[in-house]
Amino acid sequence: MRTLTIRGEKKRIPPYPHHKNFVYRANLFFTANHLLGWFMVNGPRKALRRMWIQKRYGFSVPLNLLIDPTSACNLNCLGCWAADYGKTSELSYDKLDEILTEAWHLGIYDIVMSGGEPLMRKADILRLCEKHKELSFALFTNGTLIDDSFADEIARLGNLNIFVSIEGFREKTDFRRGKGTFDKATAAMDLLKSRDIGFGFSVCYHALNYEEVCSDAFLDFLLEKGAWMGWMFIYMPIGSDADSSLCLNANQRTYVREKLGSYRTRHRFTLIDFANLGHKAFGCVAAGNEFAHINAHGDLEPCAFFHYSDTNLHDKTLKEALASPFFRHFRKHKPLSENPHRPCPIMDVPEKLVPIIHHEGVLSTHLHHPETAEALASKTRPLAEGWKIKADELFRDMPEKEKRKFRRLARFIIYRH
């Protein structure tokens, strides 16, 4: 029987595609340090099928497909780049249904939704979860649109997980997201906990809140609220109008890494820190290597933070889109660094941004504030230079056996296509 430790108690994990199973597999992916662990994330049958499909079609099939059903949102958060896609962009129900149907046939079993606020399309999302019961769904939401009836539907369906976004305690959350948002988000958590739903939380940490969101007090609070896992995303200055003062310097990023790592170990709690767990994911997962993003305009992007594309799902099938020249070009640049603690082309190795993005047909998908590769790299280069010193220290401390294992597994798992 599969179990996961939550608040010091072993919880039984139902079979795929249950929402608790999503948490279990996310934990497995980011703790795997050998080939068998990676292979077992979705089970041997699904893994073998996915590998066979990749070999048959000759391109990489992502483990997770992130889709924005809409760019509309009921909040107006400070520094939110999602609004730059345009508040009126959305993918129709028929288009979403088409994408999900093809995703299953391609061996993609995990669908994650963001936005905008995906629950602006609440009825369509429930309808899609009902129709595609063979898929596992999850969505990132501000939580303000979750009510009793929606929580009941999540419990009934079983294949939809929820990640409630929060920025810290009341003052920090309401500062960025608007007065009263903290209370609505935590009330949503109470509703989900009351139905025994294995939900999670999502945090964007930046220079103004990183100490609070990494504190034992805050993480203990979320555990008590019923969270089964947490996603921690570092702030990235995406878009020409982004506030770079919110970016963390190397010392602050190191602080986050150590605090979250300590808490994760002490409580055996699934905390996924994207900026600092690249060595667990075998490097950058973008451009079809475990991850791909479809925005509300239909553009296929390497990841949710990499706003460049040469392909739109309104013009091509998902299979055709995943075989795009840009995705192939992106993957040819991997590994982006021989140091697994420097996996990201935006924040860690911005010198790779220009050659990656400068490819025929690639355009910025930032509708209102597009920026060139050179402009984005100029913002993150000083941060990357500072982090390189810390990352090199971490790399030097890795046992030689671990270094060799990373290189071997990274090339086998991620860089084959």
Side-chain angles (χ1 to χ4, degrees):
M1 181 179 70
R2 290 180 171 181
T3 62
L4 197 64
T5 301
I6 306 294
R7 296 181 293 281
E9 181 182 348
K10 280 191 175 182
K11 299 285 189 178
R12 185 180 70 84
I13 303 299
Y16 172 93
H18 196 272
H19 52 80
K20 292 177 181 176
N21 193 276
F22 185 100
V23 179
Y24 175 84
R25 288 180 292 109
N27 177 72
L28 184 63
F29 182 86
F30 282 96
T31 55
N33 58 4
H34 52 79
L35 182 57
L36 182 61
W38 169 85
F39 193 72
M40 293 297 292
V41 169
N42 267 344
R45 289 181 63 187
K46 287 185 174 64
L48 285 170
R49 180 170 181 261
R50 182 164 158 256
M51 291 175 68
W52 177 81
I53 290 169
Q54 289 185 142
K55 184 174 181 62
R56 177 185 177 188
Y57 291 124
F59 59 80
S60 189
V61 176
L63 190 69
N64 294 273
L65 186 62
L66 176 60
I67 307 174
D68 298 344
T70 180
S71 60
C73 187
N74 61 327
L75 299 182
N76 188 26
C77 303
L78 293 175
C80 175
W81 47 257
D84 281 344
Y85 286 127
K87 289 284 188 181
T88 59
S89 298
E90 72 172 32
L91 296 170
S92 69
Y93 173 85
D94 289 341
K95 175 55 68 173
L96 290 167
D97 182 39
E98 174 189 311
I99 291 170
L100 297 179
T101 299
E102 194 174 0
W104 169 258
H105 288 297
L106 287 173
I108 303 170
Y109 306 107
D110 288 303
I111 308 298
V112 184
M113 294 186 177
S114 61
E117 168 51 53
L119 291 187
M120 299 290 283
R121 302 281 302 282
K122 188 187 296 186
D124 283 342
I125 288 173
L126 292 176
R127 187 179 167 196
L128 289 165
C129 292
E130 182 85 61
K131 181 174 181 180
H132 297 274
K133 290 182 178 179
E134 73 281 7
L135 293 174
S136 173
F137 291 86
L139 61 86
F140 291 92
T141 173
N142 59 44
T144 63
L145 300 178
I146 295 175
D147 54 20
D148 282 288
S149 62
F150 185 68
D152 288 340
E153 282 296 286
I154 297 173
R156 181 186 68 83
L157 287 167
N159 65 337
L160 174 60
N161 209 330
I162 301 293
F163 305 122
V164 180
S165 298
I166 195 165
E167 305 285 335
F169 287 115
R170 183 175 288 104
E171 181 182 354
K172 291 287 194 298
T173 296
D174 287 1
F175 167 75
R176 249 196 105 204
R177 295 179 169 265
K179 187 175 181 180
T181 305
F182 175 83
D183 290 335
K184 291 177 182 178
T186 53
M189 294 179 184
D190 293 337
L191 289 177
L192 298 172
K193 182 181 180 182
S194 71
R195 274 102 173 144
D196 192 30
I197 294 167
F199 73 92
F201 62 88
S202 170
V203 170
C204 174
Y205 61 86
H206 49 78
L208 299 181
N209 75 342
Y210 76 97
E211 291 180 298
E212 181 165 296
V213 298
C214 293
S215 68
D216 283 7
F218 181 66
L219 296 173
D220 286 347
F221 169 77
L222 293 173
L223 268 176
E224 287 304 311
K225 279 291 176 184
W228 277 51
M229 68 178 295
W231 297 88
M232 312 291 289
F233 298 99
I234 195 169
Y235 174 82
M236 296 190 185
I238 306 299
S240 60
D241 67 333
D243 184 357
S244 296
S245 70
L246 293 175
C247 294
L248 269 64
N249 61 37
N251 289 332
Q252 292 168 330
R253 181 170 168 179
T254 300
Y255 175 91
V256 172
R257 179 184 182 278
E258 293 174 352
K259 289 285 288 185
L260 294 181
S262 172
Y263 194 91
R264 186 167 52 242
T265 300
R266 284 185 284 115
H267 295 275
R268 298 179 65 188
F269 185 60
T270 305
L271 274 175
I272 300 171
D273 177 12
F274 258 63
N276 295 310
L277 285 183
H279 59 298
K280 294 293 186 181
F282 309 111
C284 173
V285 296
N289 292 137
E290 318 308 351
F291 201 86
H293 177 231
I294 302 170
N295 68 28
H297 191 61
D299 301 309
L300 179 71
E301 301 170 334
C303 83
F305 305 101
F306 206 97
H307 295 177
Y308 301 89
S309 177
D310 70 341
T311 303
N312 191 282
L313 269 294
H314 291 297
D315 304 321
K316 296 183 179 180
T317 65
L318 180 60
K319 184 175 76 172
E320 291 169 338
L322 289 172
S324 80
F326 179 40
F327 268 37
R328 293 182 186 277
H329 174 69
F330 192 118
R331 291 193 294 269
K332 286 179 181 178
H333 285 80
K334 297 182 180 183
L336 299 170
S337 170
E338 289 297 319
N339 185 341
H341 298 284
R342 298 176 60 224
C344 178
I346 298 175
M347 300 301 290
D348 301 330
V349 279
E351 62 270 20
K352 295 290 183 75
L353 275 176
V354 175
I356 287 175
I357 296 172
H358 280 194
H359 189 69
E360 184 178 356
V362 176
L363 301 173
S364 172
T365 55
H366 235 72
L367 298 183
H368 298 305
H369 299 281
E371 62 184 342
T372 64
E374 292 84 356
L376 178 56
S378 69
K379 290 188 293 186
T380 60
R381 188 173 294 112
L383 302 169
E385 290 171 352
W387 175 247
K388 183 178 184 303
I389 297 172
K390 298 285 186 180
D392 286 348
E393 291 174 0
L394 293 170
F395 188 63
R396 282 195 296 270
D397 291 340
M398 286 179 69
E400 198 59 40
K401 182 180 179 181
E402 291 295 314
K403 296 177 184 177
R404 290 196 301 270
K405 182 165 60 178
F406 169 80
R407 295 188 189 105
R408 184 172 64 252
L409 293 180
R411 284 179 170 82
F412 177 81
I413 293 170
I414 293 185
Y415 311 123
R416 292 180 298 122
H417 301 281

